[in-house]
Amino acid sequence: SNDSEEDLFGDYDSFYENDSLLAQVDDIEQKYLQDKNKPFKTASESNPADLHSGNQQKKQYIFSACEDTVVLNAGEGDALQMNENDPVDSNQEPDESIFDELPSSQLLYFEKRDKLTSGSRISPASERRSECGKIKSPSSFGSNAEHQNKPTDFSSDSKCDLAKPESLKDHLKSAMSGNAKAQTLQVSKMKQLQEAILSEEICVARKAIESPSVDIGPFYGLPSKVKDLFRQLRGIDKLYEWQHDCLMLESLQQRKNLIYSLPTSGGKTLVSEIIILQELLCRQKDVLMILPYVAIVQEKVRGLSSFGIELDFLVEEYAGSKGRFPPIKRRIKKSLYIATIEKGHALVNSLIETERIDDLGLVVVDELHMLGEGSRGATLEIALAKILYISKNTQIIGMSATLNNVGDLQKFLQAEYYTNSFRPVELKEYIKIRDTIYAVDSKAENGFSFSRLLNFKYSSNLEKADPDHIIALVTEVIPKYSCLIFCPTKKNCENVASMVCKYLKKEFRAHREKEKQDLIKNLKNVGNGSICPVLNQTIPFGIAYHHSGLTNDERKSIEEAYSTGVLCLLTCTATLAAGVNLPARRVILRAPYVANDFLKKSQYKQMIGRAGRAGIDSAGESILIVQEKDKHLVQDLVHSPLENCYSNLLLELTKGIQSLLLSLVGLKIALTHEEVYDFMCTTLLGVQQQLLSKEKSLSEIIKDGLENLIEQGLLKGRISEKDHKYTLTITPLGKATYKGSIDLAYCNLLYRELKKGLQGLVLESNLHLLYLTTPYDMTSSCTPDWMIYLRQFNQLSAAEQKVMDILGVPESFITKKASGQAIRKKVESAVVNRVYLSFVLYTLLKETNIWSVSEKFNMPRGHVQNLLNSAASFASCVLHFCEELEEFWVYKALLAELTKQLTYCVKTELIPLMEVAGVLE
């Protein structure tokens, strides 16, 4: 220590009557300097026999402090410069607990020395720590800012000559005197240790990202904060046993693909959310979650946003017209993309194109059995096949209803399978024929055993109004418990709701009366002062209907009121079963039909799965109302095995195999017939090819598909019989088609209409533009009301009449249709219907009120809302289509604005505000 400074220790080197400590340190230092090429041994590593036996605990502590000093010094002093090539025992990590053991003053001291010797190497322990960014410097522990600002003057001459190596003995003395003088920081030792441990956890996690299983906390490898969030936000205290088993599966630890299936309401979602968080937080990769419907995507985005805010990742919505392609590249935060099937596919395409598909660590697919359903199934199959083929590091997890041929899906996804028949609440299945209720019982000879007779006094009037005894079944549970009635059609939902409330006793009105009045007020607010007369009549009784004819806001309000028990009975269509999680004590199936089709086993399972609320009911029950004539069909339904799931690539030509072939060439995944064939073998169609195409081989199917695309002008190249090596290239039109996700059935038509628009686009009003963005696939189901059509036609301005001429819809045609006269001149019905839908959209953007428009056009408001959502979505597709074609540059600005108008449907000046998340009109 410097002469000017008083030596606090006098002749004592050590605190307990012997002077061995510093002497020993001196020895070690000498030994080290002599034998520099040997790995450097610190005091604690040297033979414990050297240590005197006096109070071993105390001694050990000083040693650990001293050891760190030595390590630090090893990097600082020239004399102790470590040789880079020194062999170091690889298992021996620099002991990190040393740092946490130091008293706070010593931490200050090291920080000061670090500053003075910033040019030299820092100890591995502190280096690793600061790399992790959590603990920048030891002093950042100190919450007491005063102490941080006060420089502790350790030596009177702080510019002490650093070139001269200070002996270890002197170093220790000055350190100790520093300790004695420095003020103690006002931080609890516990807190320091906790922070240090946390930083270590994060550190280790970052380091081990490459390894397959990463652990950064006690809750399935996640910080315990995640567990607290599930408790606060979801009310989930502990996991079911199967959930624990599933998360601990060997295949998940090794990042293999997995399909798992459980009955509805078994808690599938929670498992997927934990796996998603593991990917985002532990492995630091982006995640894509694919859900079947827009409404479910929106609900999921709301549900997971709070997790994103708390745990620092982004939740991005890809549904309707929302979503950026390619997504913004983020340096630090990871993203969770929540997408519908179509948008998920477009997102995968854009990530493959920008060579960022490896950033995607995990894809989670809910309702994996959708693979077997129509064009959406085909799109889902294409998206998954591309990921499997290109990105070997992306894990795929599918949740599915129980399937019969899950083996095919396993082969397709190269996945393990986990299944469990767990239900949190026991489910009792019944069927009702006339006034007798039978229990579904596989042991009985015809599959049903007698359960009970309904004892409800029916007057002859009531018998006529309610031949199916719905009121008897309902009044057994409401208002104390909740009940769902699934009806075949939307109209039937409304009728059943009205009928039930007509015959309910007046007491039902008194149950939670004030809250029901608030709900009615709320519905009036979201409907700009209007409320559906049926809801106005049924809500006072605690009853409402729920189907796609509701607007999004109405649906949200009704779902909320039902889950809080304000409403006790919902009459709903099958879409409720597929999407929103609204369980009930009793589920009644009004008839074994969905629209006009007999119920499928998977639909039946989904509906009855809503019976029984976990944690509330001891059991749930489902009652299927059956007419005598359907009895044998129902026997099959209830006892038949589950359906199989088959690829739809062939059935859906334009949205299936052709669309796949086009994007394979466009994304340069496969450029020759052979490469395409290799890819096709990895699809679900490839797995099931023997079953699905008996007439043609897969190779022939591909050849036909490619020739068709060349014919349409979407691909260039020729496919010769002998030489399959000929490479294919995509044309600009082909590229625009797959990047805009345009159905191949309409891409040429769209191109022609946009081209024609360039010659004379009428921009005095946005009617002409709206026509170009009205979805093609909605025209077939549209049946115009000709009187309304004529009335709208007569209100058009001169410029808008000109649009009609350009499009080829003459007034005389509409007049004749309205008055029912015969029509000689042929007018394309697709165009006529499309113009009618454009009128609806045009009026909607002018009035921005779904209610008034649905009255004006005599259309259900849900249908109007659906048209609006589809148009917004299609407008964004057309925008991406135009961005790829140089000649359509002028449409880019126009369509960007129009897409926003259709997305938010508010007065133009409100659009910028609506783009802020969480702002409502």
Side-chain angles (χ1 to χ4, degrees):
S1 146
N2 291 347
D3 310 332
S4 56
E5 197 174 298
E6 180 191 353
D7 188 343
L8 296 173
F9 301 107
D11 294 329
Y12 279 110
D13 280 347
S14 146
F15 298 124
Y16 21 67
E17 268 77 329
N18 68 42
D19 51 359
S20 63
L21 172 64
L22 291 182
Q24 232 174 339
V25 169
D26 255 353
D27 283 353
I28 291 167
E29 189 176 3
Q30 292 310 316
K31 216 187 247 165
Y32 173 75
L33 289 174
Q34 285 159 15
D35 191 3
K36 196 169 175 186
N37 290 343
K38 281 189 187 163
F40 172 51
K41 270 199 172 172
T42 53
S44 65
E45 285 174 281
S46 54
N47 188 352
D50 299 349
L51 301 178
H52 285 269
S53 55
N55 186 341
Q56 194 68 35
Q57 276 317 112
K58 272 188 188 159
K59 221 172 198 177
Q60 198 55 44
Y61 181 58
I62 291 189
F63 264 90
S64 76
C66 135
E67 176 183 337
D68 209 291
T69 317
V70 175
V71 173
L72 264 170
N73 229 40
E76 291 169 357
D78 298 347
L80 299 182
Q81 203 61 52
M82 278 178 109
N83 190 340
E84 281 181 19
N85 305 329
D86 281 354
V88 177
D89 181 5
S90 59
N91 299 335
Q92 180 77 31
E93 278 284 337
D95 193 342
E96 266 143 50
S97 60
I98 302 159
F99 221 48
D100 308 335
E101 283 289 314
L102 292 181
S104 39
S105 52
Q106 192 116 324
L107 289 172
L108 278 175
Y109 174 79
F110 282 129
E111 185 202 12
K112 185 152 194 293
R113 283 198 65 99
D114 275 357
K115 275 191 191 135
L116 290 170
T117 60
S118 58
S120 60
R121 208 173 62 80
I122 306 170
S123 92
S126 55
E127 187 174 34
R128 177 129 43 86
R129 219 181 242 95
S130 57
E131 207 181 297
C132 292
K134 254 306 178 242
I135 298 181
K136 289 289 188 293
S137 70
S139 77
S140 63
F141 280 147
S143 56
N144 198 333
E146 197 186 337
H147 295 316
Q148 280 185 13
N149 302 340
K150 217 182 273 179
T152 321
D153 194 12
F154 292 153
S155 62
S156 58
D157 180 10
S158 58
K159 295 187 193 72
C160 67
D161 186 6
L162 283 163
K164 186 184 78 190
E166 178 186 21
S167 92
L168 200 51
K169 181 173 173 180
D170 292 345
H171 183 128
L172 265 181
K173 274 193 172 178
S174 63
M176 287 170 172
S177 60
N179 282 356
K181 285 170 153 184
Q183 294 147 314
T184 313
L185 291 173
Q186 304 298 305
V187 181
S188 76
K189 185 79 177 153
M190 271 309 288
K191 192 168 176 196
Q192 277 183 37
L193 284 172
Q194 276 169 349
E195 288 197 74
I197 288 165
L198 182 71
S199 82
E200 277 314 309
E201 280 180 1
I202 291 171
C203 223
V204 173
R206 293 256 166 91
K207 280 274 174 290
I209 281 168
E210 290 72 41
S211 78
S213 59
V214 184
D215 198 325
I216 60 167
F219 183 66
Y220 300 102
L222 291 163
S224 38
K225 180 175 186 182
V226 176
K227 192 176 181 178
D228 300 339
L229 285 173
F230 276 116
R231 185 178 298 126
Q232 285 163 23
L233 302 171
R234 298 281 165 83
I236 295 170
D237 272 332
K238 83 186 216 290
L239 276 66
Y240 296 129
E241 199 173 314
W242 82 262
Q243 292 173 325
H244 174 76
D245 294 346
C246 188
L247 285 166
M248 300 313 284
L249 284 177
E250 189 59 32
S251 48
L252 272 185
Q253 310 295 325
Q254 294 169 3
R255 299 213 57 203
K256 289 196 178 128
N257 296 346
L258 175 73
I259 300 171
Y260 66 97
S261 65
L262 273 103
T264 310
S265 78
K268 290 199 284 274
T269 327
L270 179 65
V271 171
S272 70
E273 286 173 358
I274 291 175
I275 297 172
I276 286 171
L277 292 174
Q278 286 172 342
E279 192 67 32
L280 289 163
L281 305 179
C282 307
R283 296 198 186 87
Q284 297 279 319
K285 290 272 197 185
D286 296 332
V287 177
L288 165 62
M289 185 178 203
I290 298 179
L291 303 168
Y293 305 108
V294 178
I296 305 174
V297 169
Q298 290 165 342
E299 190 188 356
K300 198 54 140 184
V301 169
R302 284 199 300 276
L304 286 174
S305 293
S306 31
F307 281 88
I309 292 164
E310 292 290 330
L311 301 167
D312 213 32
F313 59 86
L314 296 154
V315 177
E316 303 187 35
E317 178 182 336
Y318 279 76
S321 60
K322 297 232 170 103
R324 282 187 60 142
F325 301 103
I328 300 169
K329 201 169 167 61
R330 321 251 178 205
R331 283 219 323 280
I332 300 169
K333 283 194 175 188
K334 293 296 152 215
S335 294
L336 166 57
Y337 310 112
I338 302 182
T340 53
I341 292 173
E342 293 73 16
K343 290 282 173 180
H345 177 223
L347 180 66
V348 168
N349 280 349
S350 70
L351 287 173
I352 291 173
E353 190 173 17
T354 50
E355 296 182 350
R356 284 167 48 191
I357 191 76
D358 282 341
D359 297 346
L360 196 61
L362 171 70
V363 178
V364 174
V365 186
D366 193 9
E367 314 287 347
L368 186 68
H369 49 266
M370 292 283 290
L371 276 170
E373 293 178 27
S375 62
R376 317 198 58 207
T379 309
L380 179 58
E381 181 181 340
I382 293 171
L384 292 175
K386 284 178 185 165
I387 293 168
L388 285 164
Y389 190 77
I390 288 176
S391 173
K392 296 286 174 255
N393 302 332
T394 306
Q395 184 183 13
I396 296 178
I397 291 188
M399 297 178 273
S400 133
T402 333
L403 287 172
N404 211 9
N405 62 341
V406 84
D408 287 354
L409 297 191
Q410 272 181 267
K411 223 187 243 163
F412 164 46
L413 293 177
Q414 300 146 34
E416 308 273 321
Y417 181 56
Y418 175 87
T419 181
N420 196 316
S421 54
F422 171 82
R423 273 190 57 96
V425 180
E426 188 196 353
L427 171 65
K428 297 178 176 150
E429 285 177 62
Y430 298 100
I431 66 162
K432 182 188 90 65
I433 301 176
R434 293 206 188 87
D435 55 359
T436 316
I437 291 181
Y438 299 93
V440 172
D441 178 3
S442 48
K443 294 185 190 74
E445 56 187 276
N446 61 355
F448 302 113
S449 58
F450 173 80
S451 174
R452 63 193 175 100
L453 284 169
L454 274 181
N455 53 351
F456 189 84
K457 302 286 178 286
Y458 265 80
S459 62
S460 58
N461 249 355
L462 187 50
E463 188 69 60
K464 275 198 203 87
D466 179 22
D468 289 331
H469 312 106
I470 291 174
I471 289 174
L473 293 173
V474 162
T475 46
E476 290 177 347
V477 282
I478 66 169
K480 197 170 168 202
Y481 300 107
S482 55
C483 180
L484 291 175
I485 303 179
F486 284 107
C487 308
T489 63
K490 290 185 219 171
K491 193 70 201 135
N492 192 238
C493 283
E494 297 177 27
N495 295 346
V496 171
S498 306
M499 185 274 297
V500 172
C501 77
K502 270 198 197 98
Y503 293 100
L504 282 183
K505 299 193 179 71
K506 294 285 171 277
E507 292 90 88
F508 283 94
R509 297 186 75 116
H511 182 72
R512 301 183 74 162
E513 196 168 2
K514 184 180 176 309
E515 287 153 282
K516 291 178 198 164
Q517 288 312 315
D518 292 345
L519 174 61
I520 290 179
K521 260 190 225 142
N522 184 9
L523 287 171
K524 278 190 178 146
N525 287 342
V526 299
N528 289 339
S530 324
I531 184 171
C532 161
V534 179
L535 288 175
N536 203 12
Q537 168 204 5
T538 61
I539 288 176
F541 288 93
I543 300 171
Y545 62 83
H546 182 295
H547 56 56
S548 58
L550 293 168
T551 64
N552 291 345
D553 297 331
E554 287 176 309
R555 204 168 59 231
K556 251 179 266 172
S557 304
I558 286 173
E559 284 166 12
E560 230 162 76
Y562 176 80
S563 44
T564 52
V566 176
L567 296 175
C568 51
L569 174 66
L570 287 187
T571 58
C572 46
T573 50
T575 45
L576 178 90
V580 201
N581 185 20
L582 293 178
R585 172 63 171 271
R586 175 177 288 181
V587 170
I588 299 170
L589 280 71
R590 169 85 182 69
Y593 290 93
V594 170
N596 299 324
D597 307 323
F598 197 75
L599 207 55
K600 290 218 276 292
K601 178 78 178 193
S602 55
Q603 291 170 319
Y604 172 71
K605 277 286 193 207
Q606 243 176 350
M607 289 177 186
I608 65 172
R610 294 283 168 232
R613 292 158 306 164
I616 303 173
D617 300 330
S618 51
E621 46 188 15
S622 70
I623 300 173
L624 169 59
I625 298 175
V626 185
Q627 306 306 321
E628 200 68 64
K629 65 178 171 55
D630 291 331
K631 195 172 169 182
H632 60 286
L633 288 171
V634 170
Q635 260 170 339
D636 295 345
L637 168 72
V638 176
H639 297 292
S640 67
L642 287 143
E643 279 102 5
N644 289 327
C645 172
Y646 294 118
S647 166
N648 269 303
L649 284 185
L650 288 182
L651 297 170
E652 299 288 334
L653 252 182
T654 55
K655 282 191 179 172
I657 190 151
Q658 290 192 359
S659 152
L660 172 55
L661 295 174
L662 178 66
S663 61
L664 284 183
V665 176
L667 293 166
K668 302 191 172 57
I669 296 172
L671 296 174
T672 64
H673 185 287
E674 278 172 358
E675 288 173 355
V676 173
Y677 181 79
D678 289 345
F679 181 95
M680 291 305 290
C681 289
T682 65
T683 60
L684 182 59
L685 171 64
V687 173
Q688 299 176 329
Q689 54 183 318
Q690 270 76 38
L691 289 167
L692 297 180
S693 70
K694 303 241 186 322
E695 294 80 49
K696 283 184 179 174
S697 72
L698 191 56
S699 188
E700 287 170 318
I701 293 170
I702 293 169
K703 189 167 156 294
D704 293 353
L706 291 172
E707 279 171 357
N708 193 328
L709 290 172
I710 291 171
E711 224 167 275
Q712 285 188 36
L714 301 172
L715 291 181
K716 283 204 293 278
R718 60 171 198 280
I719 306 144
S720 55
E721 287 299 317
K722 300 177 190 67
D723 182 20
H724 280 329
K725 293 229 166 1
Y726 196 96
T727 39
L728 299 152
T729 49
I730 194 162
T731 62
L733 176 62
K735 190 169 186 200
T737 304
Y738 90 78
K739 290 196 77 169
S741 309
I742 307 287
D743 186 343
L744 299 192
Y746 308 121
C747 62
N748 278 306
L749 176 58
L750 176 67
Y751 178 79
R752 286 198 302 274
E753 292 197 316
L754 288 168
K755 189 88 179 148
K756 194 171 161 192
L758 286 180
Q759 294 157 18
L761 191 64
V762 178
L763 292 174
E764 191 173 302
S765 77
N766 51 13
L767 181 63
H768 199 165
L769 264 183
L770 276 170
Y771 172 78
L772 293 174
T773 57
T774 303
Y776 290 104
D777 48 6
M778 294 195 74
T779 53
S780 52
S781 59
C782 161
T783 44
D785 179 321
W786 298 107
M787 287 309 292
I788 294 173
Y789 207 151
L790 187 60
R791 198 177 312 140
Q792 287 299 318
F793 211 102
N794 292 333
Q795 290 169 7
L796 298 178
S797 67
E800 289 163 351
Q801 301 254 357
K802 191 177 162 213
V803 177
M804 294 298 115
D805 296 342
I806 296 172
L807 298 176
V809 180
E811 188 174 359
S812 58
F813 172 80
I814 307 292
T815 316
K816 281 182 179 160
K817 272 289 203 188
S819 58
Q821 296 171 22
I823 292 157
R824 288 189 194 85
K825 204 175 132 204
K826 198 176 175 304
V827 175
E828 270 188 79
S829 66
V831 176
V832 175
N833 289 0
R834 201 161 169 230
V835 167
Y836 186 67
L837 293 176
S838 328
F839 278 164
V840 179
L841 290 168
Y842 180 55
T843 319
L844 198 51
L845 289 188
K846 265 203 311 215
E847 302 186 5
T848 68
N849 179 351
I850 289 180
W851 284 88
S852 61
V853 175
S854 77
E855 275 164 37
K856 220 172 234 165
F857 286 89
N858 194 15
M859 271 171 130
R861 62 193 181 291
H863 193 73
V864 176
Q865 169 123 41
N866 193 14
L867 171 66
L868 182 65
N869 293 345
S870 302
S873 187
F874 187 60
S876 74
C877 290
V878 178
L879 172 60
H880 293 306
F881 180 84
C882 293
E883 281 172 346
E884 292 304 314
L885 295 166
E886 196 51 47
E887 60 202 288
F888 291 150
W889 65 273
V890 58
Y891 281 118
K892 284 194 274 191
L894 296 170
L895 288 172
E897 264 320 295
L898 188 69
T899 307
K900 281 181 191 171
Q901 287 183 11
L902 288 165
T903 304
Y904 300 114
C905 189
V906 292
K907 305 233 175 330
T908 321
E909 65 269 20
L910 293 179
I911 288 178
L913 285 174
M914 293 294 285
E915 287 178 304
V916 181
V919 174
L920 297 171
E921 188 186 359

